[in-house]
Amino acid sequence: MTGAEQLIREITTSSLADEVRDALARRWQPGDGRIHEISRYALLAPGKLLRPLLLAATAETCGAPREQVLPAALAVEYLHVASLVHDDIIDGDDLRRGRASVHARFGMSDAIVTGDALLFQVFASLAECADRGASDRAVLAAIGVLAKAGVDLCEGQAQEARLAAAADGTVAEYLRVAELKTGALFRGACRAGALLAGAEPATADGITRYAEHAGLAFQLRDDVLPYVGDAAVVGKPDTSDAANLRLTMPVLLAREVAGPQDRAALDRALTADLTARERFAVLTEVLDRTGALEKTQQRAEAEAALAEAELESLSPSEGRDLLSALARLSTSRDR
């Protein structure tokens, strides 16, 4: 068993993971209505439930009972899955989590409104925490945090589209997109969990920094996966980034060090009228030759180490151990 497989087993078999998974299954049993049916399909797809686990583990680490924050953990998953439904439409991806994406299975119109419905479910689910003992003040603060995370997601998507169209995109611009798009839900989940638990400001700030580093590590590994992973395992097309001319970290790093021949190949891959598979093949050769994939992986591991360092001041608990494992998994996962 590889280190990544051990981490996945450690996370997915934890008692906290079991409770989150069971709560999601109970909430989304077979029922009436087209939107309910599609939402259930989207939410119960195979997945590690990382973002709800981040919220629940943070809240537990900060002293909140699990049962009190489970609706908020589900709320983060609703926000995440809604963003995936809409992202797949934007990117034209017909595969998600190893099976047909929502729009490929149910059609474009129903996929859009299902994503919208899941966004409203976020706030309905968060409100349930008040009935389970969380203070109204804490619930309102958590709502504000996740609403901000949603806005950041949208801004990140818009900036990513602009970066893809730019001939002179920079690493700094990429990092800003990653901070907004991927970092938003990591940051929002952890901060909301801390606030729901009534954590001290310094603790909440430290948890937020953990999330920012872990989120960036996760995104950097995501950039590497198409070139080193198996699309059937990763769960989405390996050509997705190439097809959408997405300027990921390996591409930007390769451009910084590429000689004339490799620079010409990159320009061709990013501007010429090639198929997604042809573009992907060119990028794979250049990224491997320039060492850009290795450099991206190294940066991911450095970010994960910074994330773990932010946990050192927290009291030992299953929640803290889970947060540590999630940070380590972000750089070693194969899906």
Side-chain angles (χ1 to χ4, degrees):
M1 182 182 296
T2 66
E5 289 170 337
Q6 290 176 333
L7 281 171
I8 291 173
R9 175 173 292 183
E10 177 183 340
I11 291 166
T12 57
T13 61
S14 67
S15 61
L16 185 54
D18 287 340
E19 289 194 38
V20 171
R21 195 177 298 110
D22 289 347
L24 189 64
R26 287 196 307 271
R27 172 63 183 81
W28 293 95
Q29 295 180 21
D32 295 330
R34 177 73 168 169
I35 297 302
H36 183 96
E37 173 194 357
I38 301 173
S39 296
R40 185 173 186 274
Y41 175 86
L43 289 164
L44 299 186
K48 296 182 288 295
L49 299 174
L50 295 185
R51 292 151 190 85
L53 283 175
L54 282 170
L55 188 147
T58 297
E60 180 176 84
T61 300
C62 295
R66 291 181 183 180
E67 184 64 23
Q68 181 175 294
V69 301
L70 278 176
L74 300 191
V76 177
E77 187 67 0
Y78 301 156
L79 180 52
H80 174 53
V81 171
S83 74
L84 296 182
V85 171
H86 288 163
D87 278 358
D88 285 342
I89 293 171
I90 293 169
D91 294 341
D93 286 342
D94 291 337
L95 186 68
R96 169 65 66 180
R97 291 178 171 176
R99 61 180 188 169
S101 58
V102 171
H103 73 271
R105 172 74 179 269
F106 298 98
M108 194 76 71
S109 297
D110 282 349
I112 291 171
V113 295
T114 297
D116 293 344
L118 286 171
L119 293 176
F120 289 110
Q121 286 283 357
V122 171
F123 305 107
S125 193
L126 277 168
E128 292 178 25
C129 293
D131 297 329
R132 300 189 179 204
S135 71
D136 291 345
R137 183 185 184 90
V139 171
L140 284 172
I143 288 174
V145 165
L146 289 190
K148 177 63 164 57
V151 173
D152 284 348
L153 272 173
C154 295
E155 179 62 30
Q157 179 67 46
Q159 290 196 22
E160 182 179 67
R162 194 213 67 78
L163 184 61
D168 58 348
T170 66
V171 169
E173 289 175 308
Y174 165 89
L175 292 174
R176 178 57 177 160
V177 169
E179 176 188 349
L180 288 168
K181 192 175 179 186
T182 305
L185 284 187
F186 277 67
R187 183 169 57 249
C190 289
R191 191 163 189 87
L195 293 173
L196 286 168
E200 293 294 324
T203 300
D205 289 345
I207 286 287
T208 302
R209 290 191 297 273
Y210 155 86
E212 289 169 345
H213 289 301
L216 180 53
F218 187 92
Q219 180 58 57
L220 292 169
R221 178 61 180 173
D222 209 50
D223 288 352
V224 171
L225 275 178
Y227 303 98
V228 301
D230 181 342
V233 176
V234 174
K236 66 178 182 178
D238 56 11
T239 57
S240 178
D241 287 344
N244 290 285
L245 299 177
R246 198 171 287 123
L247 292 182
T248 60
M249 179 67 107
V251 173
L252 291 168
L253 290 177
R255 287 208 314 195
E256 287 185 347
V257 300
Q261 183 178 350
D262 283 336
R263 185 61 183 260
L266 284 173
D267 290 342
R268 177 171 173 265
L270 296 172
T271 60
D273 186 17
L274 303 177
T275 67
R277 181 56 60 186
E278 290 170 338
R279 184 175 293 122
F280 178 74
V282 174
L283 289 174
T284 300
E285 290 181 8
V286 175
L287 299 185
D288 184 60
R289 193 158 50 237
T290 58
L293 294 174
E294 182 180 357
K295 291 175 183 176
T296 301
Q297 179 65 26
Q298 290 172 346
R299 175 66 185 270
E301 291 170 0
E303 291 294 333
L306 290 171
E308 285 202 83
E310 293 291 348
L311 302 176
E312 293 177 358
S313 62
L314 301 176
S315 300
S317 68
E318 181 183 351
R320 192 184 81 166
D321 290 343
L322 190 57
L323 291 173
S324 178
L326 287 167
R328 284 179 277 126
L329 178 64
S330 66
T331 66
S332 59
R333 63 194 177 88
D334 57 5
R335 59 184 181 273

